[in-house]
Amino acid sequence: MSETTEATPLRTAVQVDGEMASYLTAGRQDAPPVLMLHGTYWSRVWLPVLGHLAEAGLRPLAVDLPGLGRSGGRLSPETATVPALADWVTRFVSALGLSGPIALAGHDIGGAIAQHLLAHNLLEVSRFALVNSVLYDSWPAPHVARFQDGDTGEGVLAARRQAISRVLAGIATESLTADYADPWTEERVRSSWTALAGAADNRYTLDLVPALQRSTTPKLLIWGEDDLHERVEYAERFAAEMPRTTLIRIPNADHIPTENAPDQIGRALADFFTP
């Protein structure tokens, strides 16, 4: 029997807008919180690094956006936009009773939500990290944009499995791919994901550039160098243009580098977020 410790991630939920918002967490309840946002995948992308943050004395909170992952509800074209999801995140934070500065991390479109929260001061953000996030006009990627016409059938599930296998590359075992793809076996999740794809619009990040250039919040970028769409060149540009930004490149890793280099990324995030 494996031993469970405070650093062992667990899944729990809180009610937001009348639906259960599912999230992964670890560490002490009174530890400094780290809010972690996903994009076109789900909170599973953060699982490999949660223990590192908890062992560093932090409390990671990797939430599933409404209608996605293990969360309840269903996204619509109106509720799936970056501004609408950013507002939902503030209600999630309120439902948890969090107050004061919060560390914030985003992956993929979750990074656009994080940028919106920071640029519009919707949360008091102490430190800010992005992992293979959408930036500038880098999105939507073609394999996401093709579903902007509203397909919610088996084509979405097949495409998600294909995308997962591609970005996990050499570590994409059958069981790991199935684990990542499992939420899309539900029609409700496929419908929400299609709404997210339909609402994907790079004006949401382009419009934030001036505010981000004025931001003095410490920023960390962690990037899998082999990402075909959220290319490392975008991260290099962001690091050059935005104040107090550091870039860590992860070689031989694609869009979900937390699976390729969990120890390196976990330590880097823990060091960055530790007060």
Side-chain angles (χ1 to χ4, degrees), residues 170-233:
I171 61 172
T173 63
E174 186 174 333
S175 62
L176 183 60
T177 301
D179 189 30
Y180 263 90
D182 183 66
W184 287 279
T185 59
E186 281 192 65
E187 186 279 332
R188 178 182 59 84
V189 174
R190 294 196 298 270
S191 174
S192 293
W193 186 86
T194 302
L196 184 71
D201 189 330
N202 58 43
R203 67 187 169 92
Y204 292 125
T205 41
L206 289 171
D207 288 350
L208 301 175
V209 169
L212 292 172
Q213 288 174 331
R214 295 190 296 269
S215 168
T216 58
T217 301
K219 304 169 191 68
L220 175 67
L221 306 184
I222 297 178
W223 232 259
E225 291 185 326
D226 296 341
D227 196 323
L228 295 176
H229 305 296
E230 310 315 322
R231 301 192 308 274
V232 71
E233 290 82 6

Side-chain angles (χ1 to χ4, degrees), residues 32-63:
V34 179
L35 179 59
M36 312 182 86
L37 306 177
H38 70 85
T40 55
Y41 293 85
W42 57 301
S43 59
R44 178 65 178 77
V45 298
W46 296 112
L47 182 60
V49 301
L50 299 185
H52 289 280
L53 299 182
E55 288 170 357
L58 300 166
R59 181 191 177 195
L61 303 158
V63 65

Side-chain angles (χ1 to χ4, degrees), residues 39-263:
T40 55
Y41 293 85
W42 57 301
S43 59
R44 178 65 178 77
V45 298
W46 296 112
L47 182 60
V49 301
L50 299 185
H52 289 280
L53 299 182
E55 288 170 357
L58 300 166
R59 181 191 177 195
L61 303 158
V63 65
D64 284 326
L65 297 171
L68 300 171
R70 305 300 188 202
S71 282
R74 184 188 293 257
L75 288 176
S76 68
E78 295 74 29
T79 59
T81 67
V82 165
L85 289 170
D87 287 341
W88 182 91
V89 170
T90 66
R91 296 194 295 277
F92 170 74
V93 169
S94 178
L96 290 179
L98 301 178
S99 60
I102 189 168
L104 182 61
H107 175 257
D108 191 88
I109 292 177
I113 299 168
Q115 290 169 65
H116 187 94
L117 289 163
L118 176 65
H120 289 280
N121 297 309
L122 298 181
L123 294 177
E124 185 181 355
V125 178
S126 58
R127 286 178 170 258
F128 179 83
L130 298 175
V131 177
N132 285 74
S133 167
V134 300
L135 295 173
Y136 302 105
D137 62 350
S138 71
W139 63 299
H143 65 280
V144 174
R146 61 177 279 223
F147 288 100
Q148 293 190 321
D149 61 359
D151 180 4
T152 62
E154 291 298 312
V156 172
L157 177 58
R160 287 284 77 198
R161 284 176 172 152
Q162 183 179 29
I164 290 161
S165 295
R166 179 180 60 79
V167 299
L168 294 178
I171 61 172
T173 63
E174 186 174 333
S175 62
L176 183 60
T177 301
D179 189 30
Y180 263 90
D182 183 66
W184 287 279
T185 59
E186 281 192 65
E187 186 279 332
R188 178 182 59 84
V189 174
R190 294 196 298 270
S191 174
S192 293
W193 186 86
T194 302
L196 184 71
D201 189 330
N202 58 43
R203 67 187 169 92
Y204 292 125
T205 41
L206 289 171
D207 288 350
L208 301 175
V209 169
L212 292 172
Q213 288 174 331
R214 295 190 296 269
S215 168
T216 58
T217 301
K219 304 169 191 68
L220 175 67
L221 306 184
I222 297 178
W223 232 259
E225 291 185 326
D226 296 341
D227 196 323
L228 295 176
H229 305 296
E230 310 315 322
R231 301 192 308 274
V232 71
E233 290 82 6
Y234 283 103
E236 291 170 340
R237 177 185 168 189
F238 191 96
E241 292 187 359
M242 307 305 169
R244 304 189 70 183
T245 301
T246 300
L247 170 61
I248 297 176
R249 302 166 66 116
I250 308 296
N252 304 311
D254 203 306
H255 188 59
I256 309 178
T258 49
E259 292 288 351
N260 301 90
D263 294 338

Side-chain angles (χ1 to χ4, degrees), residues 17-42:
D17 298 341
E19 299 283 354
M20 297 311 294
S22 178
Y23 62 100
L24 288 167
T25 189
R28 302 188 325 273
Q29 290 283 315
D30 61 346
V34 179
L35 179 59
M36 312 182 86
L37 306 177
H38 70 85
T40 55
Y41 293 85
W42 57 301

